[in-house]
Amino acid sequence: MRRFLFILWIALGLTSLWLFVRLLAVNRDSHWRVAVSQCGHSNWRNAMDEEIRREAEYLGTMDLTFAYAGDNSRRQSEQIDSIVASGVDLIIVAPNEREGVTDAVRRARKAGVRIVVIDRRLSAPEYDGYVGTDNFALGYSAGVYAAAYLQGKGTVLEVCGLKGSSPAMGRHSGFVAALSEYPGIRLIGTVEGRWKAHDAVQAFDDAVEDKGMPDLVFAHNDEMALAISDAHTNLQHRLHIIGVDGLDGGLDGVASGRLLATFVNPTGGAKAVRKADSLLHDRRIQRDCFIPAEIVDGKNERVLRQQMSVLNRRQAQIDEYSERVAQYIRGNAAHDIVLFATVFCLFVVVGACLFIFRAYRAKTEAHQRLKETNGRLAEMNDNLASANERLAEAHATMKEQYDKIRTQRDQLAFFSQELKETNDSFEALLRDVVERNYADPAFDVEQLAEALCITRSQLFRKVKALCDTTPSQVIRTARLRHAAEMLATPNITVSEVCYATGFSNPSYFSKVFREAFGCNPGAMDAAHQQPAQEGDGH
C-alpha cells in the first residue's frame, strides 16, 4: 500500500510540474532585446520605423525600443553608448553621418552587441549586416533621366542632403558620373539642403541668385523637392524637379505636376529586422544587402499608386487575420490549460478511487474472516457512493470542455476559409505580375518579389505552398506557354519567339522548350507552317 501511494504522489508531482512549465511557455515574453537608433524624424523614416515594428511583431521574437537623435551625430553616439549599457542583444543603427557614430558602433561591437546598419553607411565596416539603397545607382539613374528629359542640353542644379551622410555622397557621385557622359548637360552647382525643406529652399535661392535659374533640379529627397517647387510657383515656366523617396507626398507631387519625377526608395525596415533575426539565431547571412530604387513619373504614377493601394489593403487584411489567429491560439492555449487541469483532477479522482477500491477489497477480505466488520463495510459503501458522485461531476465537466473544443474547431475552419481566400488573391496577383513581365529578359525572382512587396524567402514559401513549385519555374512556365502560342502563328521564327518571351539564349530556350513539350521549337514551328507550304505547291 505504501509503495502504491508513493508512485501515485510521484505521478501527481510530475503532472503538476508539466502543467506549470506549459503555463510558462504560453505566457512567456519576447526573448531578444533589440534597440533601434534612429538619426531623426521624417515621413520616410517614420515609414521605416513602422515597417520595423510590423516585421518584429510578425516574428514575435523581439522586444523593441527606439531612440531618436534629432539629426545630431554626437547625441546619437551617446544614445548608442547608453543602449549598450542597458544590456541589449542587437542594435539597428540608422546613422546620421558616416564619421559621426562609427566610434560608438565600434565600442558596441567590442561589448558583444551585434549591429545592423540601415540606410546610411559608416566610415568603416564596423557592423554585422547592412541594408540600404544602392545610392550610386540611384544617382546615376537620376542623371540619365535628367539628360534624357533635357534631350542632352541644359543646366542642372543638385540639392543634396547632409553632405557627411552616405546617401548624399552616393547619390551625388552617381549623378555626376551620369552627367559626365552628356557634354551638353552642365551641372551649375551642388548645394546642401540637409534633408530639410527650409534649408533646401534657402540653399536653392542662394544658388539661383549666384548662378541663375537651372533648367532642372535634382533634390535628394521629396521633402526638399516639394518645398522648392511650392516656394517657386510664380515662375513664368514650370520648374522641373526630380525627387527621391516615392511616399504619398512624392507621388502626389508627380500627379499634380509639382515634381517631374521621383524615385521610389524602399526603407528596408523589414529586411533589417529579418537580418537581425538571422544574426540573433546565428544563421549565416549575406553581410550587405542593396535595395534598388525605381523611377516614378507621369507615365507610371497612377499604376504604382493603384498597386500600392491594393497591397496596403491586402496587408491590412493579413494583419487583421494574423491578429485573429493569434487571439485564437492564445485562447486555445488557455483552453488547453483548463483541459489539462481537468485531466489532472480526473487523475486525482481515479487515484482516489483506486485507493478506495484497495481499501474496500481489504475490508471485504477482513469481513470474510470476521463477521463483526459489517459496520465498516457500510461506511466503505457510503464512501464509494460519494466517489461515484464526484466521477459524475467530472464527466459533466469533461462534456462541457468537449463542447468548447468543438466550438473552437468550427472557428478554426472559418479562419482557414478566410486564409484560403487570401491565398487565392495572392496567387491571382502573382500570375498577373508574371503575365505582365514575362517578356522582360531581366525579370527574375528578385523583381517578382519586389513587385509583390515581399522578401524572396517569403515568395518562395508562398509559391511552394500554393503552386507546389518555385517562383523561377512559374516565370519559365509562363514564358514557355506564350512561346508555344507564338510558334502556332505562321511566318515567325524560333529566334523571334525566343527573344519575345524573355529568353536571351536561343540554345537554352530550345533546351527548356524540349524538356517542357517533348520536341524542339523548330519542329513545332514547322508543323504549323507545313500546310501553307503545301498550299503554295498547288
Side-chain angles (χ1 to χ4, degrees):
M1 178 65 70
R2 290 182 178 179
R3 182 178 180 183
F4 170 76
L5 290 175
F6 176 76
I7 294 174
L8 177 63
W9 285 112
I10 290 293
L12 291 175
L14 292 176
T15 304
S16 301
L17 178 62
W18 180 78
L19 287 172
F20 178 72
V21 170
R22 182 168 179 86
L23 184 62
L24 288 179
V26 170
N27 297 314
R28 65 189 180 96
D29 293 327
S30 298
H31 181 65
W32 304 108
R33 297 185 60 193
V34 177
V36 180
S37 175
Q38 186 62 268
C39 61
H41 285 287
S42 68
N43 292 337
W44 188 79
R45 296 203 171 275
N46 292 340
M48 176 192 294
D49 294 343
E50 180 60 28
E51 191 172 337
I52 289 174
R53 288 190 182 94
R54 178 177 294 174
E55 191 67 17
E57 183 178 354
Y58 172 76
L59 292 177
T61 59
M62 299 180 187
D63 183 13
L64 283 180
T65 57
F66 285 79
Y68 296 92
D71 299 320
N72 187 307
S73 299
R74 180 177 179 181
R75 184 183 305 167
Q76 189 173 24
S77 297
E78 294 173 351
Q79 288 177 346
I80 291 175
D81 290 336
S82 177
I83 290 170
V84 172
S86 69
V88 299
D89 300 297
L90 184 144
I91 307 176
I92 299 175
V93 181
N96 186 50
E97 296 178 285
R98 288 172 58 91
E99 299 289 346
V101 298
T102 300
D103 290 339
V105 171
R106 183 181 290 112
R107 290 192 296 271
R109 292 191 77 202
K110 287 183 179 179
V113 179
R114 298 187 178 184
I115 302 294
V116 174
V117 177
I118 185 171
D119 179 32
R120 301 177 182 176
R121 308 278 285 185
L122 299 175
S123 60
E126 296 292 340
Y127 55 83
D128 299 286
Y130 170 77
V131 175
T133 303
D134 188 343
N135 287 291
F136 181 88
L138 188 154
Y140 190 90
S141 298
V144 172
Y145 186 89
Y149 183 79
L150 296 176
Q151 298 181 353
K153 295 181 180 180
T155 57
V156 178
L157 177 66
E158 181 184 18
V159 182
C160 72
L162 189 64
K163 285 189 175 181
S165 63
S166 61
M169 298 169 66
R171 293 170 193 179
H172 171 72
S173 300
F175 190 66
V176 171
L179 294 185
S180 66
E181 301 175 5
Y182 299 90
I185 302 295
R186 185 166 62 91
L187 180 63
I188 62 174
T190 298
V191 296
E192 184 179 18
R194 303 181 62 84
W195 310 112
K196 302 297 183 182
H198 178 269
D199 295 340
V201 173
Q202 184 63 47
F204 176 81
D205 291 341
D206 293 343
V208 170
E209 183 178 353
D210 183 34
K211 300 181 180 181
M213 184 66 66
D215 296 318
L216 185 143
V217 179
F218 172 45
H220 284 195
N221 70 2
D222 288 340
E223 181 177 342
M224 297 189 297
L226 291 170
I228 294 172
S229 177
D230 293 341
H232 299 84
T233 56
N234 58 346
L235 293 177
Q236 183 177 1
H237 301 288
R238 184 167 65 92
L239 192 60
H240 304 297
I241 306 176
I242 300 175
V244 177
D245 283 346
L247 298 179
D248 289 338
L251 296 180
D252 290 340
V254 173
S256 63
R258 295 154 65 200
L259 298 183
L260 175 64
T262 185
F263 281 83
V264 176
N265 182 25
T267 69
K271 290 182 181 292
V273 173
R274 288 286 181 179
K275 194 176 288 288
D277 183 68
S278 297
L279 287 171
L280 291 171
H281 289 88
D282 295 323
R283 293 193 290 265
R284 296 183 62 181
I285 63 169
Q286 181 180 354
R287 191 163 185 248
D288 295 317
C289 176
F290 295 99
I291 308 172
E294 296 184 4
I295 187 72
V296 178
D297 56 14
K299 298 177 182 178
N300 62 349
E301 175 271 332
R302 181 173 298 179
V303 174
L304 179 63
R305 188 186 292 275
Q306 290 175 350
Q307 291 176 348
M308 291 178 64
S309 177
V310 171
L311 291 176
N312 288 336
R313 289 198 300 271
R314 295 301 182 193
Q315 184 63 51
Q317 291 177 351
I318 291 173
D319 292 342
E320 181 181 355
Y321 295 151
S322 299
E323 179 61 25
R324 290 183 182 180
V325 172
Q327 291 177 357
Y328 166 75
I329 291 174
R330 289 192 294 267
N332 192 51
H335 287 299
D336 287 344
I337 295 299
V338 174
L339 178 60
F340 295 145
T342 302
V343 173
F344 172 74
C345 294
L346 181 61
F347 184 73
V348 173
V349 172
V350 171
C353 290
L354 290 174
F355 175 77
I356 294 172
F357 174 75
R358 291 177 63 87
Y360 174 75
R361 188 175 62 180
K363 293 300 180 180
T364 302
E365 293 174 354
H367 176 72
Q368 292 175 356
R369 294 190 300 267
L370 300 172
K371 294 182 179 182
E372 292 85 2
T373 58
N374 291 332
R376 294 181 179 179
L377 286 175
E379 182 181 356
M380 293 299 296
N381 286 332
D382 293 338
N383 291 336
L384 184 58
S386 177
N388 287 333
E389 292 178 358
R390 290 195 294 272
L391 281 173
E393 293 176 357
H395 177 73
T397 302
M398 289 185 64
K399 185 178 182 303
E400 181 181 353
Q401 293 299 322
Y402 173 77
D403 293 339
K404 290 182 179 179
I405 292 173
R406 185 169 58 185
T407 301
Q408 294 293 334
R409 181 190 62 192
D410 295 339
Q411 293 177 353
L412 179 59
F414 172 75
F415 290 140
S416 298
Q417 179 62 29
E418 289 190 338
L419 289 175
K420 180 180 180 299
E421 293 175 359
T422 301
N423 288 335
D424 292 341
S425 298
F426 175 82
E427 184 176 359
L429 181 59
L430 169 71
R431 299 194 182 280
D432 177 64
V433 172
V434 171
E435 286 297 320
R436 286 189 286 104
N437 294 277
Y438 76 90
D440 182 4
F443 184 70
D444 56 10
V445 176
E446 288 290 345
Q447 293 189 5
L448 178 58
E450 291 173 10
L452 296 174
C453 293
I454 60 177
T455 64
R456 182 170 181 166
S457 58
Q458 287 177 323
L459 175 63
F460 181 86
R461 289 194 297 270
K462 282 182 173 288
V463 172
K464 189 67 178 178
L466 293 174
C467 308
D468 195 25
T469 183
T470 64
S472 60
Q473 289 174 339
V474 170
I475 296 173
R476 190 173 70 179
T477 299
R479 287 172 171 167
L480 289 174
R481 177 168 55 78
H482 282 282
E485 293 174 356
M486 293 178 68
L487 285 172
T489 303
N491 301 322
I492 187 169
T493 66
V494 174
S495 296
E496 290 174 341
V497 172
C498 168
Y499 295 118
T501 54
F503 291 94
S504 58
N505 188 321
S507 300
Y508 175 74
F509 169 68
S510 298
K511 177 179 177 296
V512 297
F513 190 92
R514 185 168 52 254
E515 291 175 354
F517 299 104
C519 65
N520 290 323
M524 180 173 289
D525 182 35
H528 287 288
Q529 295 189 19
Q530 187 64 30
Q533 295 174 358
E534 292 176 357
D536 293 341
H538 294 290

